[in-house]
Amino acid sequence: MKDLENAFSIWSSFDVELTPEDMVLRLEKRGMHVSELSDEHAAVLLSRGGDPEEIGRAFGEFARAHGVTFLQGHLWLRVRLCDKTIDVVSILKDWFRLFSAIGIKNGVLHCDGSSFPEGTSDEEKTAANVEVLKKLAPIAEKQGLTICLENLRGAFDTAEKLLAIIEKVGSPNLAICLDTGHLNLTHHGTQEAFILAAGDKLKALHLANNEENYDQHLNPYGRGTVDFEEVMRGLKKVGYDGLLNYEVPGERTMPIVLRDAMTDYLRRVTEYFYTILEG
């Protein structure tokens, strides 16, 4: 496992109202060294125009100059991979180039379960996603980026379903991102069972909590029913070596100075998690 300071991460959308550069300065002020770049901040960077690699290289250098590295990023959040009205592959190619230039190694991506007529089977949805991912995987491989498929509610809610996609695509640059909040809403097995099934294909995490009603994106403990100690036990068993990344936009409604204090809380939580991971 990485040392704590190089594993403790909060999704950058925690400071969604800040520019990408100001967000980095806030991370520096909080003493944070790693983060997941949110799709909102990535979209801001891409909206500036110009070559995605040049934009990404400049931003990555700025971040590293302030002691921050983005090892994980969320690709276009609302992408519909199987939407034939847009050139999804060309659009995501620019995201891949941006991420690679920043230094991001793992890009989280949603499969598409909604671009289909009513009555489309899960098998047909899987086949359509595989077709697109077969086009995307070689591009990601060229950029040194691993696409981490996130578990969602619906057709793509278990590790086994995501592994089936990865097997059908046949690329080493496909892996899995566990969203603990999503899994808590589906009731398809335990967090540990998901992690053990994913095994060494688990490359990214969205640590989030909820009360099993909707995707609240809450911190560990307090409200919420996710068993995070079980999550840590599972991560220990599979030798997970990625970021302990918190995706908690449900906690960002407070003033930014109070978010700084919330960061201190999450650091203490992570220290506690390390007693399990290293115990």
Side-chain angles (χ1 to χ4, degrees):
M1 187 72 199
K2 299 179 188 296
D3 64 273
L4 188 147
E5 289 303 323
N6 288 305
F8 170 46
S9 167
I10 303 175
W11 186 46
S12 78
S13 189
F14 197 53
D15 295 314
V16 70
E17 74 273 33
L18 301 182
T19 67
E21 290 77 14
D22 285 344
M23 171 269 293
V24 167
L25 296 179
R26 204 73 200 183
L27 290 172
E28 181 185 30
K29 181 176 180 178
R30 293 170 181 153
M32 295 193 66
H33 302 293
V34 291
S35 178
E36 178 188 55
L37 185 70
S38 71
D39 100 305
E40 295 99 333
H41 283 127
V44 169
L45 291 170
L46 287 169
S47 73
R48 294 173 178 175
D51 182 73
E53 290 183 9
E54 292 181 8
I55 294 167
R57 193 174 300 114
F59 178 70
E61 290 173 357
F62 175 85
R64 287 187 291 275
H66 291 276
V68 177
T69 304
F70 294 92
L71 297 177
Q72 185 173 309
H74 204 308
L75 294 158
W76 185 15
L77 184 65
R78 292 174 178 80
V79 65
R80 297 170 65 187
L81 288 182
C82 304
D83 183 352
K84 298 186 182 302
T85 66
I86 58 173
D87 189 349
V88 170
V89 173
S90 292
I91 293 171
L92 285 176
K93 182 178 180 180
D94 283 346
W95 284 74
F96 291 177
R97 293 175 64 215
L98 176 79
F99 277 25
S100 178
I102 290 170
I104 293 169
K105 301 301 182 185
N106 295 315
V108 178
L109 185 66
H110 291 181
C111 290
D112 183 358
S114 61
S115 296
F116 304 96
E118 186 176 350
T120 303
S121 68
D122 286 354
E123 290 75 15
E124 291 170 307
K125 293 176 183 177
T126 294
N129 279 271
V130 166
E131 182 181 351
V132 179
L133 287 166
K134 281 185 174 179
K135 299 174 184 175
L136 291 172
I139 302 171
E141 186 172 356
K142 183 178 179 180
Q143 295 294 334
L145 183 73
T146 296
I147 300 171
C148 299
L149 304 177
E150 183 175 352
N151 59 302
L152 307 168
R153 285 174 285 180
F156 309 108
D157 54 2
T158 68
E160 288 80 5
K161 291 176 182 178
L162 297 177
L163 288 168
I165 292 174
I166 292 169
E167 183 178 357
K168 287 180 171 67
V169 175
S171 169
N173 286 70
L174 282 186
I176 290 175
C177 171
L178 166 63
D179 187 303
T180 59
H182 292 172
L183 186 61
N184 202 46
L185 293 171
T186 64
H187 304 287
H188 287 317
T190 66
Q191 303 282 340
E192 184 174 359
F194 184 105
I195 292 166
L196 295 180
D200 62 4
K201 287 296 183 182
L202 183 65
K203 300 294 186 184
L205 291 175
H206 286 168
L207 298 173
N209 207 355
N210 60 59
E211 297 170 289
E212 302 179 53
N213 297 314
Y214 66 97
D215 204 10
Q216 293 163 282
H217 291 110
L218 301 174
N219 284 335
Y221 304 111
R223 292 185 297 154
T225 60
V226 173
D227 185 341
F228 285 97
E229 295 181 24
E230 178 192 60
V231 173
M232 295 306 131
R233 289 194 297 270
L235 296 179
K236 180 178 180 179
K237 288 178 180 178
V238 300
Y240 176 77
D241 193 36
L243 298 183
L244 295 181
N245 177 66
Y246 299 92
E247 189 188 55
V248 288
E251 307 285 2
R252 71 182 175 202
T253 56
M254 62 189 70
I256 198 164
V257 293
L258 297 181
R259 277 180 247 158
D260 294 345
M262 184 68 73
T263 301
D264 293 337
Y265 166 74
L266 287 172
R267 182 177 279 107
R268 292 292 299 274
V269 170
T270 308
E271 290 170 356
Y272 173 67
F273 287 164
Y274 262 67
T275 67
I276 302 171
L277 291 167
E278 298 185 339

